[in-house]
Amino acid sequence: MKKIVIIGASSGIGRRMAIDFARVGCRVGIAARRSEPLGEVKSLYPSNVAAMTIDVTAPDAVKRFYDLIELIDGMDIFINAAGTGFADPDLDDSRISTTLRTNVDGFARLTAAAYRYYRDTANVSQGQIAAITSVAGTKGIGVAAAYSASKRFQQSFIDALEQLAYQQQVNVAFTDIRPGFVDTPLLAGGRDYPMLMTVDKVAPLIETAILRRRRVYTVDYRWRAVNALWRLVPQRIWRHIGINW
């Protein structure tokens, strides 16, 4: 029975994964800022789920994260699904600050804490750190500058930790999940997003990629094609492309 900790499990992809993994018998530790949605997930599979409120930007986030690991008696897989972001062509100061606190500082602290757990624990089987980043992290998108930059940070952070794990001989694998647009509360607001995917479609694909220990997985095939194309566009041309999502 795998022991899985999911940060950002109160809604969207994180919530769906928590339910799916608990349903098949995994021991799942779930965390998010809001306690009520966590309680709803726990009530579905009370014997398989432990819940703890964690704000990844709070000073006590790492301590509470380790407490959650203790509640499920270990951690085979860590999934960092916490995040926020905005379409922000006006570059609002508060939105930039919120995005960076959550997606950069909060992400780095909790992911590094997971790395230290595997480094300092004599785990026989290989641990795993999986992060839900975004296709937006592969190219700077003007109307979502802070978001796309924060997702690039997350991808680079995972790359760096993988190198560090090799140097320090830490028994941990890494998975970088890069979805396109998914119909979650993060995208609420009435915009017409291209190639929008449902959580019902995306979550099973992500779960399979994690369990198969894929290093990088872009969701779905359409976004893999788009992502492959726009990564080839040089910056001198990219700056002229109007993306108004």
Side-chain angles (χ1 to χ4, degrees):
M1 179 178 65
K2 289 189 178 296
K3 299 169 184 175
I4 303 172
V5 174
I6 303 176
I7 305 295
S10 62
S11 65
I13 296 170
R15 176 188 173 93
R16 171 62 185 270
M17 287 193 297
I19 293 171
D20 288 348
F21 284 129
R23 182 188 299 119
V24 298
C26 295
R27 183 76 171 127
V28 184
I30 59 173
R33 289 181 303 155
R34 297 175 295 146
S35 60
E36 185 176 347
L38 296 178
E40 293 171 355
V41 174
K42 180 176 173 56
S43 69
L44 297 174
Y45 301 97
S47 61
N48 288 352
V49 176
M52 181 169 292
T53 55
I54 298 177
D55 180 347
V56 299
T57 68
D60 66 349
V62 170
K63 179 186 181 303
R64 295 181 68 82
F65 170 56
Y66 286 142
D67 289 344
L68 180 57
I69 294 174
E70 287 190 14
L71 283 179
I72 63 171
D73 195 28
M75 180 174 69
D76 299 309
I77 302 173
F78 168 66
I79 303 174
N80 197 336
T84 191
F86 307 91
D88 185 25
D90 295 327
L91 299 177
D92 179 80
D93 185 65
S94 63
R95 287 187 165 190
I96 291 174
S97 179
T98 297
T99 300
L100 298 184
R101 281 201 313 271
T102 302
N103 294 0
V104 174
D105 183 60
F107 175 90
R109 291 176 63 224
L110 269 294
T111 305
Y115 177 86
R116 292 194 301 270
Y117 169 82
Y118 291 124
R119 182 195 65 193
D120 300 338
T121 302
N123 53 312
V124 176
S125 59
Q126 188 180 44
Q128 184 177 8
I129 292 174
I132 309 296
T133 67
S134 172
V135 294
T138 61
K139 206 74 174 175
I141 299 173
V143 295
Y147 179 76
S148 58
S150 71
K151 291 301 178 177
R152 176 72 66 86
F153 170 88
Q154 293 178 357
Q155 292 165 4
S156 295
F157 196 77
I158 290 295
D159 291 345
L161 286 187
E162 184 177 42
Q163 184 185 72
L164 185 63
Y166 180 80
Q167 294 170 352
Q168 296 182 341
Q169 297 185 331
V170 177
N171 193 19
V172 58
F174 295 88
T175 298
D176 179 354
I177 301 293
R178 302 176 179 181
F181 290 125
V182 183
D183 189 10
T184 68
L186 184 64
L187 295 187
R191 290 177 177 269
D192 185 17
Y193 292 93
M195 296 188 293
L196 186 67
M197 301 174 288
T198 66
V199 172
D200 287 342
K201 175 182 178 178
V202 167
L205 296 174
I206 293 175
E207 292 157 12
T208 299
I210 291 172
L211 293 176
R212 291 180 178 175
R213 295 178 180 265
R214 295 283 297 271
R215 178 57 184 83
V216 176
Y217 181 68
T218 301
V219 191
D220 61 359
Y221 71 94
R222 298 167 301 169
W223 282 104
R224 284 194 289 275
V226 169
N227 192 226
L229 288 172
W230 77 20
R231 292 179 71 173
L232 297 175
V233 178
Q235 185 59 32
R236 67 179 181 274
I237 296 175
W238 180 258
R239 67 184 180 183
H240 295 291
I241 297 175
I243 298 177
N244 297 307
W245 296 340

